[in-house]
Amino acid sequence: MSADGPDIATLNAMAREDFVAALGDIYEHAAWVAEAAAPLRPFGDRDALAAAMARIVRDADPALQAALLRAHPELGHRGPLAPESADEQRAQGIDRLAAGEAARLAALNAAYRERFGFPFIIAVRGQRDMAAIMTALERRLAGTPDDERRIALAEVCRIAGFRLARRVAAPADSATAFSE
């Protein structure tokens, strides 16, 4: 996968405001992650940046974590989505579900949100198909709130890793854990 944006050296050299502007939406509706990562520069590579941002999320105040999870878009949401969320869902065919599948997803999403207080979050990139996503949703509905919060935060970080891989250029000889 080739990235469309600056390389790590360029990001490391940016003014703080420019760094946040370039990466503030990697974690949806949570520019605070990029803001917290900016003073940690320089990063050796894109994977180090992804790891630092994930650590910021894991170590964040529980209220910030909860707000991050609640702000995440629901799978199958028919309203406006951030461009990257729309692309991710479209690539998995979530925008083209048959009526019965869409109704099932909506019911499972509602049950999940009722149980955990935030939408079901899964990195749809890399999922085999919609059936695998639905199976994961059903399985995770049976989880404990603490486990599900931990899993959802890990999935948000995984999504951010995929987004960084699309946005931040890596050296030609670099391999990344977040490629498709």
Side-chain angles (χ1 to χ4, degrees):
M1 165 190 304
S2 65
D4 298 332
D7 63 15
I8 199 69
T10 301
L11 286 168
N12 284 335
M14 285 180 173
R16 178 186 181 99
E17 300 78 30
D18 295 332
F19 178 87
V20 173
L23 302 178
D25 62 344
I26 292 292
Y27 283 83
E28 202 145 347
H29 306 292
W32 60 267
V33 179
E35 290 168 0
L40 302 177
R41 295 175 291 167
F43 297 104
D45 58 29
R46 180 175 65 201
D47 293 336
L49 171 59
M53 292 178 100
R55 191 172 40 260
I56 289 164
V57 169
R58 277 193 313 273
D59 294 345
D61 180 89
L64 276 176
Q65 291 175 338
L68 175 67
L69 295 177
R70 284 191 307 269
H72 212 272
E74 196 165 82
L75 287 181
H77 178 73
R78 299 291 183 202
L81 291 170
E84 284 183 288
S85 289
D87 289 346
E88 291 157 359
Q89 291 197 30
R90 189 172 26 259
Q92 193 56 262
I94 296 171
D95 62 330
R96 298 179 304 279
L97 293 177
E101 290 176 299
R104 180 173 171 234
L105 179 59
L108 289 169
N109 275 334
Y112 185 96
R113 186 180 288 277
E114 175 69 25
R115 177 160 167 72
F116 298 112
F118 53 86
F120 173 70
I121 301 168
I122 191 167
V124 297
R125 287 193 191 284
Q127 294 297 320
R128 185 178 64 250
D129 54 24
M130 194 60 205
I133 293 169
M134 296 289 257
T135 298
L137 174 48
E138 289 171 334
R139 179 179 33 80
R140 286 174 50 191
L141 257 169
T144 68
D146 287 342
D147 285 345
E148 191 51 32
R149 180 184 175 98
R150 180 186 49 75
I151 292 167
L153 287 169
E155 288 294 319
V156 167
C157 292
R158 187 166 181 242
I159 293 164
F162 283 127
R163 290 177 178 180
L164 282 170
R166 290 176 57 111
R167 183 124 17 119
V168 178
D173 62 345
S174 173
T176 181
F178 296 106
S179 59
E180 290 182 83

